[in-house]
Amino acid sequence: MKENSIFTTGLFVLALLLLLLSVGKLLGENDVERYKVSVIVDHSDSNSWSSFKMGLSAAGRAYNIEFNFVPTDRLVSIQQEKISIQREIESGANGIITELRATEGTGSFLNALGKNAEICLVDSEKESTEPGLNIYSINVDEEALGKALGEQVLHSTLQKERKRIGILAGNQNKGNMQRRLRSLEAVLTQGGQEIAWVIPDLGKTQEEMVQANHRKSVDLIVALDNDSLELAASYLRDTGRRYIELYGVGNSRQVVYDLDAGVIRCLAVIDQYTMAYYAMEDLWYLLSNKRNTVADRQVNFYMVTGENMYSEEIERILFPTGD
């Protein structure tokens, strides 16, 4: 009887040990490493990044990634941006998502920083980097975007066959913005339109726009980024020049309001929610060693007018919920 009791107790202890080992293994498998990602973009406090931040948050929840949206004002140089990225890596960031302020001169510093962290570029281009470094980008098809804007201008209801057009070209130190501009100009030129002036963003866009339009007034303005579009809309409202048609790229609350109010005729909206989600997702693939390399990806853009802005598809892009 005593032997049976000892045998039963032994079986119970063995079963308990096996149970504890199984639970420990299960908990170990679920103890997924939490990676840290720092995000460095121009004008981080602009609400034009709202959709982007929602995409970051959604991907962070899905892939157990902690992200730091680094406070920035205007990024005035790639040297300043390099210092900011280096500081985040030294503070423990495993991955970096960044919008390069310029393209020229970025290859060498990305080669250096890419050895210490995984790097994803958004809304920007880089120079060639070392083959062993998987520095990838999430962008929009710039040629298609410029072409779509140009075609919208060609379909203007203004009763003039040849229209005079002013362009606010945004940051032309970025290779992707140069391609956006070239594509727009090609469509307008082939369509027989007159490009009266082109103003890149050198820090005095509003002042230069007012002076240019005083020298040579235009029928339409096309703005290639959100900041320029906000400036142009403000200029038309404040000076009573609502007769000038305005087209552009953007997604801030202000430009959406101006579209609804009729100040902006057509708005090209880049899917920044998906851009941010892809950036985080691909960083996770690299950091978790699920993939050795990831490819560049493109996101969609949408041409939005007062007529279609409240359709189900467009509302999802303009007013994402973060689900």
Side-chain angles (χ1 to χ4, degrees):
M1 193 77 173
K2 184 177 180 181
E3 290 178 355
N4 287 339
S5 176
I6 293 173
F7 180 72
T8 303
T9 302
L11 286 176
F12 175 76
V13 171
L14 180 61
L16 183 60
L17 287 172
L18 289 172
L19 178 63
L20 290 173
L21 286 171
S22 298
V23 171
K25 183 179 180 183
L26 182 62
L27 290 175
E29 288 175 349
N30 290 332
D31 187 19
V32 179
E33 184 173 355
R34 187 170 176 82
Y35 300 108
K36 295 181 179 179
V37 170
S38 290
V39 184
I40 302 172
V41 295
D42 197 32
H43 287 143
S44 65
D45 61 345
S46 168
N47 66 58
S48 64
W49 292 111
S50 296
S51 296
F52 193 87
K53 289 177 181 177
M54 288 186 183
L56 293 174
S57 296
R61 292 192 299 270
Y63 292 100
N64 194 34
I65 298 174
E66 175 186 343
F67 74 90
N68 174 30
F69 204 78
V70 180
T72 62
D73 292 319
R74 178 170 180 148
L75 297 173
V76 296
S77 68
I78 59 171
Q79 289 76 21
Q80 177 196 1
E81 192 164 7
K82 177 183 177 181
I83 292 170
S84 297
I85 295 172
Q86 183 67 55
R87 185 186 303 121
E88 292 303 309
I89 294 173
E90 291 172 353
S91 297
N94 308 113
I96 297 291
I97 298 172
T98 189
E99 174 202 17
L100 294 179
R101 183 65 189 168
T103 296
E104 186 177 354
T106 57
S108 58
F109 90 72
L110 287 175
N111 284 335
L113 297 176
K115 293 180 173 66
N116 301 310
E118 301 293 350
I119 297 178
C120 171
L121 308 179
V122 292
D123 193 26
S124 49
E125 282 185 5
K126 63 178 176 63
E127 292 180 322
S128 296
T129 52
E130 293 178 10
L133 299 177
N134 190 208
I135 299 173
Y136 63 101
S137 63
I138 313 292
N139 280 309
V140 71
D141 184 335
E142 299 290 1
E143 284 78 12
L145 178 54
K147 179 181 179 182
L149 271 174
E151 289 174 344
Q152 287 290 328
V153 170
L154 295 182
H155 292 131
S156 164
T157 56
L158 290 177
Q159 301 300 309
K160 296 179 70 174
E161 184 175 343
R162 180 177 171 84
K163 292 169 280 290
R164 185 179 291 172
I165 300 164
I167 300 174
L168 301 179
N171 180 5
Q172 286 296 302
N173 289 320
K174 297 169 63 173
N176 62 309
M177 291 297 291
Q178 294 170 15
R179 292 191 290 113
R180 189 180 298 183
L181 174 61
R182 286 197 299 267
S183 179
L184 170 67
E185 289 178 322
V187 172
L188 297 180
T189 301
Q190 291 166 10
Q193 306 305 303
E194 177 188 353
I195 299 175
W197 39 262
V198 177
I199 300 173
D201 181 4
L202 301 176
K204 297 182 178 181
T205 301
Q206 184 166 4
E207 179 183 336
E208 292 177 4
M209 173 180 59
V210 171
Q211 293 173 354
N213 200 51
H214 179 72
R215 291 192 299 268
K216 199 168 190 179
S217 61
V218 294
D219 304 304
L220 299 100
I221 295 176
V222 184
L224 296 187
D225 67 4
N226 191 91
D227 288 351
S228 299
L229 185 57
E230 286 190 1
L231 287 174
S234 177
Y235 169 66
L236 298 186
R237 284 196 313 271
D238 295 347
T239 61
R241 288 177 166 82
R242 293 282 294 272
Y243 53 85
I244 297 178
E245 289 192 352
L246 179 58
Y247 301 73
V249 181
N251 70 331
S252 68
R253 287 192 296 270
Q254 184 60 57
V255 299
V256 172
Y257 172 81
D258 284 330
L259 175 70
D260 197 24
V263 179
I264 296 172
R265 182 174 179 82
C266 182
L267 180 64
V269 180
I270 298 171
D271 187 355
Q272 290 193 333
Y273 179 98
T274 300
M275 180 180 286
Y277 195 99
Y278 282 173
M280 291 276 274
E281 181 177 58
D282 287 347
L283 280 178
W284 180 82
Y285 282 133
L286 294 173
L287 292 168
S288 62
N289 295 315
K290 299 296 183 183
R291 297 179 185 172
N292 293 324
T293 62
V294 294
D296 294 344
R297 291 212 249 184
Q298 288 187 341
V299 298
N300 293 329
F301 64 89
Y302 299 82
M303 305 307 292
V304 186
T305 65
E307 287 73 35
N308 72 355
M309 68 179 295
Y310 290 110
S311 67
E312 183 176 348
E313 180 185 32
I314 299 302
E315 276 197 321
R316 179 180 61 82
I317 297 300
L318 292 179
F319 314 108
T321 61
D323 296 333

